[in-house]
Amino acid sequence: MKIAFVHDYLVQYGGAERVLEALTEIWPEAPIYTLIHDPEAVHHRFDNKIIRTSFLQKIPFAKKHHRIFPPLMMLAIEQFNLDYYDVILSDSSSFAKNIITNSSTKHISYCHTPMRYGWDDCQYYTQEYSFPGIVKKISPFLMNYIRMWDFQATNGVDKFIANSKFVQGRIKKYYHRKSIVINPPVEVDKFYVTADDKIKDYFLLVGRMMKYKKADLVIKAFNKMKLPLKIVGRGVEFKNLQKIAGPTVEFLGRISDDELKKIYSEAQAFIFPQEEDFGIVAIEAMASGRPVIAYRAGDIEEHLEDRLSGIFFEKQTEDDIIKAVEKFKTIEFDSNYIRQQVLKFDKENFKKQVENLVLST
């Protein structure tokens, strides 16, 4: 069986790229087709793979500013000639699933989400990034065309895999298609539980600093409570968040894997204030035995048991976060129980499910 992968763009190392890595472990000889590849930005994780990029690779500034090129990405993804392959496995949250294949090639799409800035977040797309003024002006006129193109292009997908039940619902709503749920892999064995008497006094926030992740609300809440908060990660909002942080908030930036494991395992609790399609960092925190204080939205509702593995809050407000932290203090959590709930996300389990699905198609 001749198989190839299609990935949106390799310009950051996040959850989608971890999925792609796991897929390449199943089929190590399969080439990867992607719009843009920046080896340094993905920490050279795919340097030993066959990478085939689009014409966007040669456009100046495309690697760092790819989000201002939606019409060109729409064109570029359709230019890949994939007739040679029996199976195409696309790994997509935007363009990769919209490839064109011939009638004899099976196309299975691992969908992290229907294109968010085309559907749910189209009104906020230009607010999240520092786009040039002309881009902000024309984007609203392009969105209707992008949605139509995105919907029609999914006719070429033979089978959808959703990364969560939450995304399964979005695929049904926007694409009118059924899907099977296979959660992304999390390397749960790399994380560990710390003895209760070794837990420190800080709370933890991990992730890219972007507006939708609502780190500003967490910082303001912890400023009011005067409780220690450690923040791991960087992103477009990093400097803005530093400006509003009080003396109990510590920014650690990017840290090593070993440091991250230790920081997870010794935190009082992990704060998860955003809606995600699949929040890997929350699963990593639970794999470390730490309870999660989470906004009740997105995929976290599928994995978190209120008062057993964490606490939910209902609104994205400072007051709701403060109330949730106060509630957290009144409950005793079992670290080993919390960890047991997420062992199902083991990478080998993911690989087995995907391989069985592809081979049965």
Side-chain angles (χ1 to χ4, degrees):
M1 180 178 66
K2 299 183 292 293
I3 187 169
F5 305 120
V6 183
H7 188 78
D8 295 323
Y9 24 71
L10 289 169
V11 294
Q12 63 185 20
Y13 186 73
E17 288 68 38
R18 296 186 195 191
V19 167
L20 180 62
E21 261 191 314
L23 295 175
T24 63
E25 292 176 15
I26 308 172
W27 296 283
E29 304 303 320
I32 301 168
Y33 289 77
T34 188
L35 293 169
I36 310 165
H37 179 212
D38 183 345
E40 187 173 342
V42 292
H43 313 311
H44 298 278
R45 297 275 187 161
F46 302 96
D47 284 1
N48 64 338
K49 301 300 177 184
I50 300 170
I51 307 287
R52 293 173 181 157
T53 57
S54 73
F55 65 79
L56 290 174
Q57 186 76 12
K58 298 179 181 179
I59 294 181
F61 313 116
K63 290 179 183 178
K64 293 189 180 296
H65 303 288
H66 60 281
R67 290 181 176 87
I68 69 173
F69 296 108
L72 288 180
M73 288 192 279
M74 293 160 66
L75 175 64
I77 200 67
E78 294 181 347
Q79 302 306 304
F80 288 131
N81 186 343
L82 303 165
D83 291 350
Y84 172 77
Y85 303 101
D86 301 308
V87 176
I88 299 298
L89 186 51
S90 64
D91 172 40
S92 178
S93 59
S94 53
F95 298 97
K97 69 183 177 307
N98 299 350
I99 54 172
I100 296 174
T101 58
N102 64 33
S103 59
S104 62
T105 299
K106 296 293 184 183
H107 177 193
I108 301 171
S109 178
Y110 190 93
C111 185
H112 297 277
T113 182
M115 189 185 293
R116 271 199 171 274
Y117 61 77
W119 299 98
D120 302 65
D121 300 336
C122 60
Q123 290 88 356
Y124 308 104
Y125 174 52
T126 58
Q127 297 176 24
E128 187 71 53
Y129 304 95
S130 300
F131 288 128
I134 184 64
V135 175
K136 291 183 178 180
K137 289 181 180 179
I138 66 173
S139 288
F141 300 98
L142 287 173
M143 286 305 171
N144 190 48
Y145 169 68
I146 289 173
R147 281 191 292 274
M148 289 190 295
W149 174 82
D150 189 50
F151 177 78
Q152 292 296 330
T154 58
N155 289 330
V157 176
D158 293 290
K159 185 170 292 187
F160 271 108
I161 305 173
N163 75 348
S164 65
K165 292 179 182 177
F166 176 62
V167 168
Q168 184 180 50
R170 297 181 71 245
I171 291 171
K172 181 67 174 177
K173 178 177 180 179
Y174 295 127
Y175 298 152
H176 305 164
R177 298 286 301 276
K178 294 181 180 179
S179 58
I180 183 172
V181 175
I182 300 178
N183 295 127
V186 182
E187 295 184 285
V188 291
D189 288 343
K190 290 187 176 182
F191 300 93
Y192 56 86
V193 173
T194 293
D196 290 345
D197 61 352
K198 302 293 185 183
I199 301 300
K200 303 294 174 48
D201 64 347
Y202 64 86
F203 292 77
L204 182 63
L205 184 70
V206 176
R208 284 179 293 151
M209 302 295 100
M210 300 177 72
K211 286 183 179 178
Y212 86 90
K213 291 182 180 285
K214 304 296 182 182
D216 58 326
L217 294 179
V218 180
I219 290 171
K220 291 174 183 176
F222 275 78
N223 285 346
K224 290 180 179 179
M225 292 185 288
K226 294 182 171 56
L227 291 175
L229 173 69
K230 292 182 184 290
I231 300 178
V232 176
R234 293 187 67 88
V236 293
E237 285 293 295
F238 187 75
K239 291 182 179 179
N240 293 332
L241 295 173
Q242 282 184 312
K243 291 176 183 177
I244 66 171
T248 65
V249 178
E250 181 183 4
F251 291 87
L252 302 178
R254 295 190 183 96
I255 61 177
S256 71
D257 288 348
D258 286 341
E259 289 176 300
L260 181 61
K261 295 171 200 171
K262 188 173 189 294
I263 286 170
Y264 268 133
S265 69
E266 295 179 353
Q268 284 284 315
F270 185 79
I271 313 296
F272 194 70
Q274 70 266 36
E275 177 187 294
E276 293 281 13
D277 302 307
F278 185 82
I280 286 180
V281 291
I283 302 302
E284 290 176 345
M286 293 172 70
S288 307
R290 304 321 304 144
V292 177
I293 299 173
Y295 172 51
R296 193 190 291 273
D299 80 292
I300 193 66
E301 292 187 85
E302 302 166 32
H303 319 306
L304 188 68
E305 294 178 89
D306 200 22
R307 304 180 71 89
L308 288 176
S309 51
I311 295 292
F312 283 115
F313 57 94
E314 307 299 327
K315 297 178 182 178
Q316 289 173 309
T317 66
E318 297 165 42
D319 286 345
D320 269 47
I321 293 172
I322 291 170
K323 289 175 184 176
V325 171
E326 293 302 321
K327 183 178 178 182
F328 159 79
K329 293 177 181 178
T330 68
I331 302 170
E332 287 189 20
F333 291 93
D334 183 335
S335 298
N336 291 310
Y337 176 83
I338 293 172
R339 176 172 167 80
Q340 286 297 317
Q341 303 315 298
V342 297
L343 295 182
K344 62 186 178 182
F345 297 111
D346 177 70
K347 184 196 284 188
E348 293 307 314
N349 187 36
F350 167 84
K351 288 161 61 175
K352 185 182 299 183
Q353 290 181 75
V354 172
E355 184 174 22
N356 288 341
L357 178 65
V358 171
L359 294 178
S360 65
T361 299

